[in-house]
Amino acid sequence: MRTDTTPIPADDGGALAGLHRPQRSFIDGTFVAAGAQHRLPVYDPATGERTCDLLEADAAEVDRAVMAARRAFADGRWSTLSVERRQSVLMAVHDTLVARQDRLAEIESAATGIPIGQMRGFYIPRAAHNFRFFAEFIGQVAGEAYTQEPGYLTTVVREPVGVAALLGPWNAPTTLCSMKVAATIAFGNSCVVKPSEIAAAGMQFFMEILHEAGVPPGVVNLVNGRGPVTGVALVEHPQVDVVSFTGGTTTGRAILASAARGLKATTMELGGKSACIVCADADLERALDAALLGIFGGNGQQCLAGSRILVERSIADRFIGDFVERAKRLRIGLPSSADTELGPLVSQAHMERVLAYVDIARAEGAEVLTGGRRIDALGPGYYVEPVVVRARDNAQRVCQEEIFGPFATFLVFDSFDEALTIANDSSFGLVAYVWTSHLDKAHRAMRTLRTGTVWINTPVARDLRSAFGGFRASGIGREGGRGCMALYTEEKTTMVATAPVAIRKIGTSTR
């Protein structure tokens, strides 16, 4: 890997133009000029080369961004627009994202290491869909009216909260941040976005798209930097009204504590160690396809990964054997190649962390069935062989801790009740997958599994009308239509007397 002093390559002006330029804050409709900001080196996951610098926003720069958002909210340039006008801009963002999706996919793929086919096929189309969904959703939101209280008409309306701090992760920056941005501005708020400093290049282009589509200056602002510097300044800023974070559980706890001191509403979409239960009565070919996709899609770097695969004993040897053979045949290579199924991990530090769990697994008595080494033949990039281990029991660290990489852990069960018990034996509770042809098992899983989402006979799927979030250490609050409405709006009740109200007189004594 190159060092921080390696010269940054010149921008070639091609499809990835901008990847080699400094990554800067976007405040009040313009990118902040490079100055004395602290510079963080940014590396290409595929080559290990330093590509550019990220200019870290300090507390003063964060203050500029928050105050720009506050002015944009207070003067009504966006918050007082009619629903129809906001819908028009949101749909323009959708259309612009669709028109620019190839370029954005290339930038995001290069920044994160996620294969370009997955970026084009899912991640970027999903980012565009977020804006279409919320444009349609706000057209259906209605207030409430009550007439049950004699002599009064009571109305309840929703108003925007104000300024939102939106903190996103590095595994799918634009896709996951776009969900927060679309929801925030749909309800009339302004915001400041802080993506992870590890993979922020796509967010630069995303800001250009928002501006091009007609989002007014100051409504969406961007700051870059590390959590303890930029993130803390943003969350603790007194002019921030609400905080939404997606990322690791440890960081989420710190952000939640900080937001609590300011009495700020929050949502925390955090980690997972999700179980994928495969019953003997399942369609095993489909279950195998989904289990592979569930842990190796997105390079395994996704909170939704089905990283604990629970297989019924009567089919375990066959299923695990087929899984291992398919894992060995995964096409590993450059994220820019259309044939790649598994790209590099996002950083050297993360690659080393994932590989360290191979030693942990062996030390605790798990059997490593395949993988577990860096792929030196692909050069200095952060490539690893997909890892498959068979654990002794669910208490092992590889069953309890989120590894966040292409690392599948198998457990065997004898009864469906045992499988449900194992699945729930976790500090996390984000999602679960169940593969069965028996309706009664499906319903038992729905009732019993302590997770925010249960997917039955399907890989990852989303309906943005529904709530998404986790139990326990997987988070607090929900995203989706109603969940986002609850977070990004305040309810206001007005009671109007419909007839003269008897008012008790006081202070009339003449002594």
Side-chain angles (χ1 to χ4, degrees):
M1 187 184 77
R2 298 192 176 192
T3 67
D4 294 0
T5 58
T6 304
I8 298 172
D11 197 325
D12 62 9
L16 299 184
L19 278 176
H20 303 308
R21 299 169 187 161
Q23 295 175 15
R24 301 173 290 163
S25 296
F26 184 81
I27 300 175
D28 220 0
T30 61
F31 285 103
V32 173
Q37 300 102 324
H38 179 69
R39 290 177 174 249
L40 302 172
V42 179
Y43 297 97
D44 182 346
T47 66
E49 294 182 352
R50 179 181 171 209
T51 58
C52 68
D53 288 337
L54 180 142
L55 308 183
E56 184 169 63
D58 60 11
E61 193 162 302
V62 169
D63 178 69
R64 286 179 55 195
V66 173
M67 295 313 296
R70 176 58 64 188
R71 287 192 299 273
F73 179 75
D75 67 21
R77 71 187 74 167
W78 179 257
S79 58
T80 62
L81 291 185
S82 67
V83 168
E84 289 78 10
R85 290 188 64 186
R86 275 186 273 134
Q87 286 177 307
S88 177
V89 175
L90 290 168
M91 287 305 301
V93 175
H94 167 272
D95 295 345
T96 308
L97 277 165
V98 170
R100 303 289 203 93
Q101 63 182 339
D102 285 345
R103 168 95 182 278
L104 182 55
E106 289 168 336
I107 294 174
E108 193 85 328
S109 176
T112 63
I114 295 175
I116 187 66
Q118 296 174 34
M119 275 294 171
R120 288 174 175 158
F122 171 73
Y123 287 92
I124 304 306
R126 163 66 190 280
H129 176 68
N130 291 334
F131 286 90
R132 173 183 286 276
F133 172 80
F134 279 102
E136 295 171 347
F137 185 84
I138 59 175
Q140 303 301 315
V141 173
E144 302 167 3
Y146 301 96
T147 57
Q148 291 93 332
E149 191 67 26
Y152 288 95
L153 171 64
T154 303
T155 62
V156 181
V157 297
R158 289 186 175 272
E159 296 182 352
V161 172
V163 175
L166 310 177
L167 297 93
W170 49 256
N171 59 322
T174 300
T175 303
L176 297 177
C177 286
S178 69
M179 173 73 177
K180 299 179 188 298
V181 171
T184 301
I185 68 175
F187 294 109
N189 302 282
S190 299
C191 61
V192 180
V193 184
K194 194 206 87 66
S196 168
E197 71 277 12
I198 296 174
M203 292 302 297
Q204 307 281 301
F205 191 46
F206 181 58
M207 291 298 117
E208 296 178 16
I209 288 172
L210 293 175
H211 184 72
E212 179 183 337
V215 176
V219 173
V220 181
N221 305 275
L222 172 73
V223 292
N224 294 299
R226 294 164 292 179
V229 178
T230 310
V232 167
L234 179 58
V235 172
E236 293 185 348
H237 197 288
Q239 290 296 321
V240 165
D241 300 296
V242 61
V243 178
S244 178
F245 171 72
T246 298
T249 298
T250 300
T251 303
R253 287 191 177 101
I255 291 173
L256 186 62
S258 177
R261 288 192 290 272
L263 296 179
K264 299 172 184 180
T266 63
T267 57
M268 300 280 124
E269 201 271 273
L270 308 176
K273 193 66 180 179
S274 300
C276 174
I277 301 173
V278 181
C279 299
D281 58 73
D283 182 331
L284 297 183
E285 189 61 30
R286 288 177 55 79
L288 178 62
D289 290 340
L292 286 157
L293 186 64
I295 184 56
F296 297 131
N299 300 339
Q301 298 172 150
Q302 49 183 342
C303 59
L304 304 174
S307 53
R308 286 186 299 156
I309 306 175
L310 283 52
V311 186
E312 194 164 354
R313 190 173 301 278
S314 63
I315 61 165
D317 289 344
R318 170 190 164 192
F319 190 91
I320 295 172
D322 290 346
F323 186 98
V324 169
E325 288 306 310
R326 292 273 295 274
K328 290 177 178 178
R329 296 201 300 268
L330 286 172
R331 293 191 293 269
I332 305 170
L334 290 171
S336 58
S337 172
D339 294 331
T340 295
E341 295 172 327
L342 187 68
L345 299 186
V346 74
S347 69
Q348 179 166 331
H350 188 60
M351 175 188 68
E352 291 170 352
R353 180 182 183 276
V354 170
L355 292 177
Y357 273 93
V358 178
D359 294 331
I360 291 170
R362 287 196 177 101
E364 292 189 335
E367 181 184 2
V368 178
L369 303 177
T370 190
R373 292 179 294 271
R374 183 175 186 171
I375 305 176
D376 295 326
L378 291 176
Y382 313 132
Y383 296 94
V384 301
E385 298 170 341
V387 185
V388 183
V389 306
R390 183 164 177 168
R392 288 186 298 101
D393 57 61
N394 192 54
Q396 293 186 249
R397 289 178 62 186
V398 291
C399 298
Q400 292 294 323
E401 298 177 9
E402 185 177 41
I403 300 173
F404 216 69
F407 196 117
T409 301
F410 275 94
L411 291 160
V412 176
F413 66 88
D414 291 299
S415 70
F416 193 58
D417 285 340
E418 180 188 5
L420 296 175
T421 299
I422 293 171
N424 283 336
D425 181 17
S426 173
S427 61
F428 298 103
L430 189 56
V431 306
Y433 306 80
V434 179
W435 289 87
T436 179
S437 62
H438 286 186
L439 186 60
D440 64 324
K441 289 182 180 178
H443 280 281
R444 284 167 62 197
M446 292 165 56
R447 295 190 304 269
T448 306
L449 289 170
R450 298 286 295 164
T451 60
T453 298
V454 179
W455 283 303
I456 297 176
N457 294 336
T458 180
V460 173
R462 282 296 305 274
D463 182 341
L464 296 186
R465 299 166 192 83
S466 65
F468 181 80
F471 289 16
R472 301 187 298 274
S474 286
I476 293 175
R478 295 294 185 266
E479 291 189 335
R482 292 182 180 276
C484 288
M485 181 172 68
L487 180 67
Y488 298 118
T489 64
E490 295 277 19
E491 288 184 294
K492 177 183 285 185
T493 297
T494 302
M495 296 183 71
V496 179
T498 57
V501 178
I503 303 174
R504 184 168 60 91
K505 292 182 179 293
I506 63 172
T508 60
S509 172
T510 60
R511 291 188 184 271

